[in-house]
Amino acid sequence: MPGLDRKDTRFFILIVAATLLMPFILQPFPEGSGMAQFNAGYPDLMQRFVIFGIFAMGFNILFGLTGYLSFGHAAFLGVGSYATVWMYKLLGFNVVPGLILAVICSAIFAVVIGYVSLRRSGIYFSILTLAFAEMSYRLAYSVLTPITNGETGLQVYSNDPQVLMGPGSPESTHFFGLEMASSYVMQIGGWAFTFNFGFYFAAAIFIAMFYLTMRIFRSPFGMMLRAVKSNQQRMNYTGLNSRPYTLAAFVISGSYAGLAGGLLAAMDPLAGAERMFWTESGAVVLMTILGGAGTLLGPVLGAGFIKYFENIFSKINDNVLHGWFAWMPDGLEDFMVAIIHPFVGKGWHLTLGLLFMAVVIFLPGGLVEGGQRVARIFRRRDKKAPEGSPEEQAAEQRNPGPAE
Amino acid sequence: MGILEVKGVNKRFGGLQALGDVNLSVEENTVHAIIGPNGAGKSTLLNCLVGKLIPDTGSVMFAGQSVLGRKPHEINQMGISRVFQTPEIFADLTVLENVMIPCFAKRDGSFRMHAIESVGSEKEILEMAEQMLADVNMLEKRDMHSGSLSRGDKRRLEMAMCLVQQPRLLLLDEPTAGMARADTNNTIDLLKEINQKRDITMCIIEHDMHVVFSLAQRITVLAQGTPLVEDTPDKIKGHPKVREAYLGEAA
Ligand SMILES: Nc1ncnc2c1ncn2[C@@H]1O[C@H](COP(=O)(O)OP(=O)(O)OP(=O)(O)O)[C@@H](O)[C@H]1O
Ligand SMILES: [Mg+2]
């Protein structure tokens, strides 16, 4: 790939393949089997994986590279969604104008918030961004009702202008006529694989953003951002004003969030204030740290993990548990269900919280570090087998942590 | 007129007069040493030159322009680089990256957004940084994580980061502290060569008299925030006031 070296190209191809094959990879269990509820290969969830992957990837450009911890990134997600839905209302259900406006609006919004918040660093910066996001949420919820439709949320009504809608135009979100909702189901044996256009549309954008992120990481600009995190004082005494760099990182990451918000509205033409709520801002912080801040793949993995928990673990209720342990004697069955009950269903947050704590304590580099440790164990085991070129080994020694 | 002219600089921290009426003139292309006991105000004086502190009164002129009121990065762009008393490097980056960053700063001024080019394609910058590392004998460590270097190596790296910018004035705050004897001698040779070949003016703070007398053409002795004497090394060696300040001998 242009701009990437051999190792990065291989890594990128792997990412592309994994993304495009998600409908297979996430559907390992046949329909109707006991494990089928752990399948995640349905369109709605897969769309979330890639969209929140974009969100976390953008957040990581700010937090992972410069170390500035924003607690208000959900504001940009919300702005993106509102902008996109407005384009549906004014022009029609083609998602392209909406996505473009989402990126523009969130970027402008990020310039304003970033300009003010970046005057401080550390905890004060975090508090400022949190305050801005809360303000945006309150405004969207009540004051700006004419723009946001307040509590109800913004949606398309039949009397909206939609000036670009012809008689034959689809009545749901589409990309030049290809509807996001359209799916094709492939039956192979007991398995059902769903190929959804909305997912592939979002996945294509995800891949493009992943490529862009990779280029940013490997660029002199990315190096400057890491320098900001490492030693801002030295940077200043080296003749570099760190402010424009941090502002640029903030705006880039805000635009990623805006794009993700727009994509959420592209899959489902709604926008609500709750998308700006502080818990959403907190979630992206968790995703990034869980996966591995400052790494390319980490935030994406973290996003996938959290969305998987949110959607799969939350569906395991007592009935399901009783089903699993039905083979046990009655007393023991009830006992097992009682023990596991707090960790699943509505209690999925508890499992996630414990997992998060375990990762932060034992794997400060996140899931990516976990993966690297496992890989190292395997590599040590087949030490005698011939390995990659000496160049590669040197490169690995050079970047023990933050490579991918 | 020297390239650096400090006139009547005062700086107080609460009740402590850290600098009292300091005058200093550094001639272009010379090595000027500032010596004095601990707490004399040497580092504070440098802080006033690079924009880390603003003096209460007085003026600091560099090459005919005032540096007061300018931001640190602007002062650096005027041509002043500084090696700190405790090494200030990018500890999370590799040695090579540490040297590349000042190269970018020199080439692009304060901000240029090059987010799409790859670092590897910046051949000119890479060559410059590698050449510099070779000059300070650190080329074989180019891919090391700079945070894991020894203290002496961190100092040499920081010096390389300053030198690669080809500053007009290089400020060095105890550049050989923490170095082994051999490294100290290498550093002396390096600084001598740089001063002669690249026309870089230097202002050096040092406790090691061997370093001071091998390098300096002029020496200022600072005690309790005030310059006691300024003279050539030979004169300073036997000066009674210097012996008094250093050894606490009764005059
Ligand atoms: N930012 C500050 N706030 C308060 N006091 C300070 C500050 N910086 C320095 N001082 C005080 O000013 C005096 C001069 O300190 P300075 O660091 O300039 O000494 P120095 O000559 O560099 O000594 P050393 O040889 O130990 O490095 C000291 O008493 C120090 O405690
Ligand atoms: Mg000092």
Side-chain angles (χ1 to χ4, degrees), chain A residues 166-225:
Chain A
S169 306
E171 284 294 323
S172 68
T173 57
H174 64 90
F175 176 69
F176 298 106
L178 296 162
E179 289 183 55
M180 294 297 156
S182 61
S183 290
Y184 165 73
V185 180
M186 186 163 90
Q187 290 281 353
I188 301 179
W191 284 266
F193 302 108
T194 315
F195 301 91
N196 165 259
F197 179 70
F199 164 69
Y200 277 103
F201 180 76
I205 294 182
F206 168 80
I207 288 169
M209 297 315 277
F210 194 90
Y211 177 67
L212 181 66
T213 311
M214 224 165 165
R215 295 287 297 263
I216 291 177
F217 264 61
R218 304 289 186 246
S219 72
F221 175 70
M223 196 160 88
M224 293 300 173
L225 297 186

Side-chain angles (χ1 to χ4, degrees), chain A residues 66-318:
Chain A
T66 71
Y68 277 80
L69 176 56
S70 160
F71 256 111
H73 254 50
F76 306 118
L77 197 70
V79 167
S81 290
Y82 282 122
T84 304
V85 176
W86 265 110
M87 284 289 103
Y88 297 153
K89 288 167 83 73
L90 297 175
L91 301 180
F93 277 119
N94 192 334
V95 298
V96 173
L99 291 178
I100 292 172
L101 190 70
V103 173
I104 294 174
C105 286
S106 52
I108 294 173
F109 203 55
V111 170
V112 177
I113 295 186
Y115 186 80
V116 179
S117 306
L118 287 167
R119 305 192 146 260
R120 290 281 167 272
S121 60
I123 186 79
Y124 300 101
F125 169 80
S126 304
I127 299 288
L128 279 170
T129 50
L130 178 63
F132 267 113
E134 272 302 284
M135 253 154 55
S136 313
Y137 168 71
R138 299 287 159 198
L139 286 177
Y141 203 73
S142 50
V143 182
L144 293 178
T145 305
I147 301 176
T148 62
N149 206 17
E151 234 175 297
T152 327
L154 195 64
Q155 47 188 294
V156 183
Y157 295 112
S158 49
N159 59 352
D160 282 330
Q162 299 201 291
V163 292
L164 294 185
M165 287 275 276
S169 306
E171 284 294 323
S172 68
T173 57
H174 64 90
F175 176 69
F176 298 106
L178 296 162
E179 289 183 55
M180 294 297 156
S182 61
S183 290
Y184 165 73
V185 180
M186 186 163 90
Q187 290 281 353
I188 301 179
W191 284 266
F193 302 108
T194 315
F195 301 91
N196 165 259
F197 179 70
F199 164 69
Y200 277 103
F201 180 76
I205 294 182
F206 168 80
I207 288 169
M209 297 315 277
F210 194 90
Y211 177 67
L212 181 66
T213 311
M214 224 165 165
R215 295 287 297 263
I216 291 177
F217 264 61
R218 304 289 186 246
S219 72
F221 175 70
M223 196 160 88
M224 293 300 173
L225 297 186
R226 284 186 291 133
V228 171
K229 182 178 182 177
S230 189
N231 191 342
Q232 234 184 102
Q233 159 143 314
R234 175 34 87 195
M235 211 173 157
N236 292 144
Y237 291 105
T238 302
L240 293 161
N241 185 2
S242 48
R243 191 74 61 76
Y245 288 98
T246 48
L247 186 61
F250 194 87
V251 173
I252 291 173
S253 90
S255 316
Y256 273 60
L259 178 65
L263 281 171
L264 284 175
M267 301 305 140
D268 186 8
L270 294 172
E274 72 286 343
R275 211 160 266 172
M276 295 178 153
F277 199 52
W278 66 268
T279 52
E280 283 291 324
S281 301
V284 77
V285 180
L286 292 192
M287 288 170 188
T288 308
I289 293 176
L290 184 67
T295 63
L296 272 166
L297 187 59
V300 177
L301 280 183
F305 237 77
I306 288 187
K307 286 293 150 191
Y308 185 82
F309 266 80
E310 187 180 299
N311 288 278
I312 304 294
F313 269 62
S314 63
K315 285 201 194 107
I316 303 173
N317 55 25
D318 281 3

Side-chain angles (χ1 to χ4, degrees), chain A residues 212 215-216 218-221 223-224 226-227 230-231 233-234 236-241 244-245 248 252 398, chain B residues 50 52 73 76-77 82 88-92 97 101-102 104-105 110-111 114-117 119 143 158 165:
Chain A
L212 181 66
R215 295 287 297 263
I216 291 177
R218 304 289 186 246
S219 72
F221 175 70
M223 196 160 88
M224 293 300 173
R226 284 186 291 133
S230 189
N231 191 342
Q233 159 143 314
R234 175 34 87 195
N236 292 144
Y237 291 105
T238 302
L240 293 161
N241 185 2
Y245 288 98
I252 291 173
R398 235 176 270 157
Chain B
V50 296
K52 191 171 180 176
H73 67 93
N76 176 276
Q77 285 169 8
R82 172 173 181 187
E88 293 279 353
I89 55 172
F90 301 110
D92 303 324
E97 286 172 329
I101 286 173
F104 280 117
S110 190
F111 179 68
H114 24 39
I116 297 301
E117 303 95 314
V119 172
D143 295 319
E158 195 184 8
Q165 292 197 305

Side-chain angles (χ1 to χ4, degrees), chain A residues 387-398:
Chain A
E387 282 198 60
S389 68
E391 248 171 41
E392 265 167 51
Q393 288 175 27
E396 264 156 35
Q397 282 160 7
R398 235 176 270 157

Side-chain angles (χ1 to χ4, degrees), chain B residues 37-44 82 85 173-174 205 207:
Chain B
N38 289 109
K42 304 179 298 292
S43 298
T44 305
R82 172 173 181 187
Q85 191 166 355
D173 200 342
E174 303 190 19
I205 292 175
H207 282 298

